[in-house]
Amino acid sequence: MIISSQSRICGRGRLSALAGAMLLGLALAGCSIPVADLPLVGLPANTPARPAAPGEYLPVHDLPVPRQETVLDQAQQTKLEKDLLAARDRQASGAQAAQRRSN
């Protein structure tokens, strides 16, 4: 029995179409369920149980309650700025002293 070249080409075309369809099916099936839920893969033994109800979204549109503190007046703001500058200067001088000791 002689097989013509056209039937071999047609057979290869069917085989490649079948392989392409299987690959497409696997790709689409891979997107449908999580891998951990597959029966062969499963979850590790020490995995905690999933919650019965999924978590809720954070309340991003809820506004916080108004603040009870008042705004600093000019004298308080000036005092705070001086305190912060003094703290910065203490930190800088302490860092320079530590660097001199290490050298």
Side-chain angles (χ1 to χ4, degrees):
M1 183 162 108
I2 300 174
I3 300 174
S4 69
S5 63
Q6 187 176 12
S7 66
R8 269 191 257 144
I9 293 173
C10 188
R12 286 184 186 161
R14 287 182 184 157
L15 183 62
S16 63
L18 180 63
M22 288 181 67
L23 285 174
L24 181 64
L26 286 173
L28 291 175
C31 296
S32 64
I33 60 172
V35 175
D37 291 340
L38 293 175
L40 298 177
V41 177
L43 296 173
N46 59 354
T47 303
R50 290 188 179 171
E56 296 182 15
Y57 290 108
L58 296 175
V60 294
H61 297 293
D62 291 350
L63 296 175
V65 295
R67 293 185 178 181
Q68 300 298 324
E69 300 98 20
T70 59
V71 180
L72 296 177
D73 62 1
Q74 190 61 36
Q76 291 173 328
Q77 188 173 357
T78 305
K79 180 185 180 299
L80 183 61
E81 287 175 3
K82 286 181 183 178
D83 290 344
L84 288 173
L85 289 173
R88 181 191 64 188
D89 294 340
R90 282 193 307 272
Q91 289 291 322
S93 66
Q96 288 174 355
Q99 188 177 17
R100 275 187 259 127
R101 280 182 285 196
S102 66
N103 290 335

